[in-house]
Amino acid sequence: MLFRSLLLVVLVVPALAQDRSPYADSVVAQFRHAWNGYRAHAWGHDALKPLSRTPHDWYRTSLLMTPVDAFDTMLMMGLRDEAAEAKQLILSRLTFDVDAEVQAFEVVIRLLGGLLSAYELDGDPRFLASARDLGDRLMPIFDSPTGLPFRFVHLQTGAVRDSVNNPAEIGTLLLEFGMLSRHTGDPVYAQKARRAVDVLFDRRSSIDLVGTWIDVVSGDWTNTSSHVGGAIDSYYEYLLKGSILFGDSSLRRMYDVHMTAVNRYVADTVNGSLWYGRVNMQTGVRMSRRYGALEAFMPGMLLLGGDLKRAKALQSSGYRMWNLHGIEPEGLDYGAMTVVHPGYPLRPEIIESAYYLWRTTGDPVYREMGETFYRDLVSYCRTDAGFAHLKNVVTKEKKDAMESFFFAETLKYLYLLFAEKSAFDLDAHVLNTEAHPYRKN
Ligand code: DMJ
């Protein structure tokens, strides 16, 4: 009997690793449901408010956040009609010649990233022209005395503001500006983004950590809390992904310098479970035991960087965090196992990590985790017109918002987790921090 079960495992597990789970089609149906809500109630706007069924725009004029973010997911899911209508909307209506002061990071990862991947996947040069126009309008952010970018720029006047910026918003321009240079042949975009990263790296502390806020005019840190959550997270992610996408070993060395310090000071083991909390960047002294939905990207990044052991351990901790209330909170005190920030804005990171782990190990436990995430999302967040954020993961009270990254990332990673491996050639691509794929060469 034991022999038969073992034989079954040996025969079935490798086959399963290639299989498409029935959940894949179910995720596509949920994507359609959310897109139909956007179509019916928010067409041409940035996003749908799924409870009031009204549109939401970030600025005075819509920049089509949802269609641009959603387009490559549609192509991956084989939703040809939806992709055709999204393409038509984007190419006929999207303009960056608007009276708006935008947050560079957000438009870079969602719009510049979405347009670049649309260009690679679809081939229409109008996507690249639009990406270049946006890139040119963003360039004034780099005109600071240090070369570190400002946070906001006016798309028509080029006026910049907010000299205090953070590592994530400084470092997470590397892939998009690098790809813009690759596709246009103009090196200036890559050079500016790379210089910003070099300057930031040089501002690291003597123990090789970065803080949360830095003044781009003086180069001084204004907040010295060091962690792997929002405001720092994708700086580390882009050092690693930049090294892979551009074959740049110096970026890999920078990543390794930081990860050695992060694993020494920021990593924290409580009752045998691995977490990453908050410490002072200069001393390494622990400031708090906070982990959350954003930090949950970390297992995926650790895995991509070759650290399978920590990736698995941290994903198990994240899964405990999720199961505490049946859906993960924005902030958890992992010492007391209590919620400190109760919202859930449909974030993808824990699913992204499950995808990388599944894709690499083929261990069914990661698909099972994904099934839990998926079922809970549908149970608690689905509405008649789409999916809604939760104000509170304990009470499950909803909030009237559906971020565009729900289409770009959350549903894409769920789909890829359940689809057959060949649905997307991860080995040939790097996914940006918004899950937009770029070809390695
Ligand atoms: C996305 O816009 C990106 O993944 C970003 O790096 C972090 N926040 C959201 C998703 O949670």
Side-chain angles (χ1 to χ4, degrees):
M1 187 64 190
L2 178 67
F3 175 73
R4 269 184 56 192
S5 329
L6 282 175
L7 191 65
L8 207 66
V9 169
V10 171
L11 292 175
V12 169
V13 167
L16 272 179
Q18 300 300 326
D19 274 357
R20 183 178 176 93
S21 141
Y23 278 91
D25 295 330
S26 177
V27 172
V28 174
Q30 302 297 351
F31 184 101
R32 271 211 169 100
H33 169 69
W35 178 252
N36 286 339
Y38 169 80
R39 240 170 139 254
H41 308 292
W43 187 245
H45 291 274
D46 280 333
L48 166 71
K49 299 209 277 189
L51 299 180
S52 59
R53 304 179 187 207
T54 54
H56 165 70
D57 288 314
W58 287 40
Y59 307 108
R60 219 170 294 162
T61 311
S62 164
L63 297 176
L64 301 180
M65 295 282 183
T66 292
V68 176
D69 243 358
F71 181 68
D72 57 27
T73 307
M74 292 168 175
L75 294 179
M76 286 186 195
M77 290 180 171
L79 295 173
R80 289 190 191 180
D81 293 346
E82 287 81 354
E85 68 182 358
K87 176 177 172 178
Q88 161 68 16
L89 177 65
I90 294 165
L91 294 180
S92 63
R93 291 238 214 124
L94 183 59
T95 173
F96 297 114
D97 187 12
V98 294
D99 178 12
E101 186 190 57
V102 300
Q103 190 179 354
F105 165 81
E106 293 292 355
V107 301
V108 163
I109 65 170
R110 300 182 199 222
L111 299 178
L112 190 52
L115 290 168
L116 285 164
S117 72
Y119 171 62
E120 287 200 347
L121 292 169
D122 177 89
D124 193 315
R126 289 174 293 176
F127 284 123
L128 180 59
S130 186
R132 186 173 201 163
D133 179 40
L134 176 58
D136 288 337
R137 290 173 190 276
L138 295 173
M139 286 301 267
I141 59 174
F142 295 108
D143 295 337
S144 74
T146 58
L148 295 168
F150 289 93
R151 271 187 99 197
F152 294 89
V153 59
H154 192 287
L155 288 178
Q156 280 173 336
T157 67
V160 290
R161 80 167 163 89
D162 268 33
S163 61
V164 179
N165 206 343
N166 58 67
E169 297 192 40
I170 290 167
T172 314
L173 311 170
L174 199 61
L175 300 196
E176 287 67 30
F177 280 83
M179 291 310 284
L180 196 54
S181 283
R182 181 179 280 178
H183 286 306
T184 61
D186 184 342
V188 69
Y189 308 105
Q191 284 163 358
K192 294 274 185 185
R194 177 56 198 260
R195 175 164 158 69
V197 163
D198 286 338
V199 172
L200 183 62
F201 185 71
D202 287 344
R203 304 300 304 166
R204 72 193 184 282
S205 70
S206 58
I207 58 168
D208 296 326
L209 294 176
V210 292
T212 308
W213 294 100
I214 187 166
D215 189 317
V216 306
V217 173
S218 67
D220 295 335
W221 291 99
T222 62
N223 179 309
T224 54
S225 171
S226 195
H227 48 86
V228 297
I232 296 183
D233 46 8
S234 49
Y235 162 57
Y236 295 139
E237 179 187 346
Y238 269 35
L239 290 177
L240 178 62
K241 289 184 172 176
S243 77
I244 298 168
L245 186 59
F246 304 122
D248 184 335
S249 55
S250 61
L251 289 173
R252 176 68 207 217
R253 275 196 299 278
M254 291 152 82
Y255 173 80
D256 287 338
V257 164
H258 280 312
M259 276 313 112
T260 302
V262 165
N263 285 324
R264 177 159 176 203
Y265 297 105
V266 183
D268 194 10
T269 302
V270 178
N271 299 327
S273 296
L274 178 66
W275 300 94
Y276 286 74
R278 298 191 170 219
V279 303
N280 181 291
M281 68 176 275
Q282 312 288 1
T283 61
V285 169
R286 190 154 303 282
M287 296 166 69
S288 80
R289 289 189 147 161
R290 186 196 149 148
Y291 190 82
L294 281 168
E295 281 88 342
F297 87 103
M298 186 81 182
M301 185 183 75
L302 287 166
L303 184 75
L304 202 59
D307 190 346
L308 176 62
K309 192 166 168 230
R310 284 196 185 85
K312 284 164 98 173
L314 188 59
Q315 184 70 0
S316 303
S317 302
Y319 194 51
R320 278 182 60 209
M321 167 173 78
W322 182 283
N323 284 322
L324 202 57
H325 293 288
I327 208 146
E328 68 184 358
E330 193 72 349
L332 172 83
D333 177 334
Y334 57 79
M337 287 306 274
T338 51
V339 171
V340 287
H341 283 273
Y344 174 67
L346 298 172
R347 290 210 189 276
E349 285 79 2
I350 198 165
I351 303 167
E352 170 185 359
S353 289
Y355 166 61
Y356 279 105
L357 279 154
W358 158 252
R359 185 66 174 57
T360 307
T361 66
D363 187 337
V365 78
Y366 297 111
R367 262 196 176 167
E368 286 157 22
M369 277 186 189
E371 288 166 13
T372 303
F373 303 146
Y374 177 62
R375 280 194 299 261
D376 292 341
L377 258 170
V378 174
S379 303
Y380 300 127
C381 302
R382 191 179 146 117
T383 72
D384 289 347
F387 283 75
H389 296 192
L390 295 185
K391 258 186 208 158
N392 190 316
V393 296
V394 183
T395 63
K396 312 291 187 296
E397 187 191 351
K398 293 190 178 78
K399 185 178 162 185
D400 197 10
M402 179 169 64
E403 279 278 1
S404 64
F405 58 67
F406 181 65
F407 293 92
E409 294 188 80
T410 312
L411 290 172
K412 183 185 288 152
Y413 284 124
L414 278 170
Y415 175 72
L416 294 180
L417 179 58
F418 298 132
E420 62 280 9
K421 269 190 177 176
S422 58
F424 173 62
D425 187 359
L426 182 64
D427 297 331
H429 294 86
V430 169
L431 290 155
N432 90 337
T433 195
E434 190 81 358
H436 295 304
Y438 304 138
R439 270 198 308 273
K440 282 186 190 165
N441 42 47

